[in-house]
Amino acid sequence: MKKLFCMLLALAMLLPLASCSDAPDNADPASQTQNGAASNAQADPGAEAEEDPTAKLYEDLPTGDYGGMTFSFLNNISNFAYTIMSAEELTGEGINDAVFNRNQKVEDMLGIKLDEHLESYGDVTNQMNAAIAAADDTFSCFWNEAGFVAPFATGGKLLNVNEIASLNLAKPWWEGKAMSEIQILDKLFFLVGDIHLMFKESFWMNGYNRSIIDRNQLENPYDVVKEGKWTLDVLKSDMEAAAQDLDGNGTMDGSDLFGVTCYSGCFNALCMASDEVIIARNAEGIPENVVPGDRFYSVVEKIVNTMFTTDAMNTYVCMSGVTKNISQYQDEWHGVFLSGHALFYFEPIGSLKKLRDMDDEFGIVPFPKYDEAQSDYVTYIANYAAMCGIPVTTPDAERTGVVLENLCAYSYGDLREAYVDTTLNFKYIRDEESKEMLNLILSSGRFNLCDLLSVSTVKDAVSNAATSGNADVASIVAKSSKAADKMLSKNLAALLGD
């Protein structure tokens, strides 16, 4: 069963990338070629083995022999996500071993020695800024949370990766859809792909407790999602139905049963899921600040009334930093869900690993739409999704591209499969339905351009007001817009070289 489960979920992780290539999913080219040839030989020893289409993906990988040079890079530490880029030895743990084997293969092929410097996000930023200012070419590239990489691009400190010939961003090991969303005309300054796991870890999802659904005779969220009826109104109705003051003291605290457990950052995920943004592209593909319409203000009002009013937090919402007596659980508000004290759990996919020992059966669905008139579900890719930047001080841009292309290519099989197996290996989860929902979440991801263009003035002002329970944000938008327009113009000029 576990083997079947892993195979099904592996397919789910691959489906969002189908548009990038016609190649089969999740294949190791060497093993597949060998296995295919052996199978053909057994069936008909005289028949010529069919050519493996997956192997063709690797035929044009850039090569080189760099004489044992050290390829140094900075990488960030995360408190919720896998950021592993190197491994000292084989341990029998799937992700560790896949990284070890990948790195050894690429090191041997290219004649390099990978040298990872693992730091906090603040130290990555500080060290990279200092290196660039000093024209120090020690680091060929770096990874950090998107919100911290973005200022390097707007500050003119990153290379346009579209101009690096050794990178083939059409290959399926790169997240082509995500990168197309953050490319401005022909300028692209960020790389995301199978090479680094924190990207997928940063898609927001909505976990739910199946036992609480059944006890309250609520409709299966999977079915509601597939019918296109998973909305903020249904979410609120379910949360209200599930919440209970278990100890009867008249106050909702960590000992009670909540409709949801979360932290205030879920506002941005709920707003994006409602298909509302502050910055969008115009007809020429240039980002511009959006003048919010009535729907935007209705969305904000509904989210506030659903999640952030005093009444909501005294009735069915467990909010980090607000709800009392949640320190009794390991990981506090996360532990509220793990212990069976909340129906829903708003978090990025990376936090699923916290639920591995959960006793209740649970599932995952995307964040709800604003209403049924909204055509599609939308998933927020958080601004802490890790991205790779290539600094203007990289010692050899084409060589850096060769190394990154090979590392990403050889992450496409074993590392991707190990990630699925490790991250989604739970005691209780519904295989087929979870595969379908995971595919929907990963295929509906969207960045907020405010994060990637370092123009969050309006977004932050609205979020701060909303999470304080204030839904009347029109004056806040008006007050913040002028500064946002000025900053956006400045940053676009820097990105586009105007």
Side-chain angles (χ1 to χ4, degrees):
M1 177 62 70
K2 178 178 177 182
K3 181 176 180 181
L4 174 59
F5 166 70
C6 296
M7 291 172 63
L8 290 171
L9 288 177
L11 285 172
M13 297 294 286
L14 293 175
L15 287 175
L17 297 177
S19 62
C20 298
S21 172
D22 293 330
D25 296 335
N26 266 9
D28 177 78
S31 64
Q32 202 171 64
T33 301
Q34 293 167 1
N35 292 341
S39 177
N40 288 338
Q42 290 173 2
D44 182 359
E48 183 178 349
E50 293 184 6
E51 187 175 9
D52 173 31
T54 304
K56 290 184 177 181
L57 286 172
Y58 294 80
E59 289 179 349
D60 57 351
L61 272 178
T63 60
D65 184 354
Y66 300 119
M69 63 84 62
T70 298
F71 185 88
S72 297
F73 59 91
L74 282 165
N75 188 22
N76 66 299
I77 299 168
S78 172
N79 64 353
F80 82 98
Y82 295 116
T83 63
I84 180 172
M85 282 293 293
S86 61
E88 295 183 359
E89 60 183 2
L90 294 172
T91 64
E93 193 279 318
I95 290 177
N96 176 90
D97 289 0
V99 169
F100 178 89
N101 290 330
R102 175 199 70 186
N103 289 2
Q104 187 174 65
K105 182 180 185 70
V106 174
E107 285 179 335
D108 292 344
M109 288 177 58
L110 300 180
I112 61 172
K113 179 64 178 177
L114 296 171
D115 178 31
E116 177 187 29
H117 296 252
L118 193 59
E119 308 284 354
S120 69
Y121 59 82
D123 286 339
V124 170
T125 297
N126 293 337
Q127 290 186 39
M128 203 66 247
N129 271 322
I132 294 171
D136 180 350
D137 65 359
T138 298
F139 302 117
S140 294
C141 61
F142 68 101
W143 278 267
N144 207 351
E145 297 180 8
F148 293 97
V149 181
F152 285 87
T154 54
K157 299 175 181 179
L158 299 181
L159 295 180
N160 178 5
V161 298
N162 281 333
E163 296 179 349
I164 300 177
S166 51
L167 290 171
N168 188 345
L169 303 183
K171 293 291 189 178
W173 41 79
W174 295 110
E175 295 282 357
K177 179 182 176 183
M179 289 189 293
S180 69
E181 290 183 348
I182 55 180
Q183 177 171 308
I184 311 298
L185 298 182
D186 62 345
K187 308 288 187 179
L188 177 63
F189 298 94
F190 315 105
L191 292 170
V192 288
D194 289 341
I195 189 173
H196 198 287
L197 299 176
M198 194 177 175
F199 174 72
K200 292 183 178 71
E201 296 265 83
S202 301
F203 283 61
W204 277 74
M205 58 91 198
N206 183 354
Y208 76 90
N209 186 309
R210 180 61 183 266
S211 300
I212 297 176
I213 290 287
D214 291 344
R215 288 202 305 268
N216 288 276
Q217 298 182 323
L218 300 174
E219 190 172 356
N220 183 348
Y222 286 123
D223 296 334
V224 181
V225 169
K226 288 186 285 187
E227 292 167 1
K229 298 179 179 180
W230 180 231
T231 65
L232 282 168
D233 286 338
V234 175
L235 173 78
K236 183 177 181 180
S237 176
D238 285 354
M239 291 191 296
E240 290 175 330
Q244 296 179 52
D245 179 11
L246 296 178
D247 57 14
N249 66 359
T251 301
M252 292 297 287
D253 58 30
S255 299
D256 297 316
L257 176 61
F258 293 90
V260 66
T261 182
C262 57
Y263 79 101
S264 60
C266 69
F267 171 80
N268 292 320
L270 287 164
C271 201
M272 178 68 80
S274 297
D275 202 17
E276 286 292 339
V277 293
I278 299 297
I279 295 179
R281 296 175 188 272
N282 61 23
E284 288 72 41
I286 304 295
E288 60 183 13
N289 284 308
V290 174
V291 178
D294 292 342
R295 187 181 187 277
F296 173 84
Y297 294 112
S298 295
V299 164
V300 172
E301 181 178 15
K302 181 165 285 190
I303 294 172
V304 170
N305 290 337
T306 300
M307 296 294 302
F308 296 104
T309 62
T310 300
D311 181 64
M313 285 188 273
N314 285 341
T315 308
Y316 55 81
V317 174
C318 175
M319 184 69 64
S320 175
V322 177
T323 304
K324 297 180 180 180
N325 195 28
I326 60 175
S327 60
Q328 63 180 293
Y329 301 105
Q330 183 178 357
D331 290 328
E332 297 193 333
W333 63 273
H334 302 277
V336 172
F337 185 74
L338 177 65
S339 65
H341 281 257
L343 169 58
F344 294 123
Y345 175 63
F346 293 166
E347 260 290 91
I349 287 174
S351 290
L352 285 172
K353 61 178 68 67
K354 299 178 184 290
L355 310 179
R356 193 159 290 126
D357 295 325
M358 186 169 176
D359 288 330
D360 288 344
E361 182 181 359
F362 71 94
I364 55 174
V365 291
F367 267 58
K369 299 187 290 185
Y370 170 63
D371 57 22
E372 289 187 38
Q374 181 179 325
S375 58
D376 299 314
Y377 295 102
V378 181
T379 296
Y380 179 44
I381 305 174
N383 66 343
Y384 38 77
M387 290 181 167
C388 177
I390 301 179
V392 293
T393 51
T394 193
D396 183 330
E398 290 301 330
R399 181 177 65 194
T400 298
V402 170
V403 174
L404 293 177
E405 186 72 23
N406 278 272
L407 284 172
C408 203
Y410 290 108
S411 303
Y412 182 53
D414 291 346
L415 181 57
R416 184 184 278 214
E417 292 172 2
Y419 172 74
V420 174
D421 188 24
T422 302
T423 304
L424 301 178
N425 181 19
F426 304 115
K427 291 170 65 175
Y428 299 104
I429 197 165
R430 300 175 71 84
D431 297 2
E432 279 289 345
E433 293 175 327
S434 295
K435 178 201 72 172
E436 186 176 354
M437 290 299 109
L438 181 62
N439 175 48
L440 178 56
I441 291 168
L442 292 173
S443 65
S444 61
R446 187 187 301 172
F447 283 106
N448 191 325
L449 281 173
C450 294
D451 301 330
L452 278 301
L453 293 171
S454 299
V455 185
S456 59
T457 307
V458 178
K459 173 195 165 191
D460 290 346
V462 170
S463 178
N464 290 338
T467 56
S468 298
N470 178 13
D472 185 11
V473 297
S475 61
I476 293 171
V477 171
K479 183 178 180 180
S480 307
S481 293
K482 186 175 181 179
D485 287 340
K486 184 177 180 180
M487 181 61 70
L488 179 58
S489 295
K490 176 184 175 182
N491 289 348
L492 283 175
L495 289 172
L496 298 175
D498 296 337

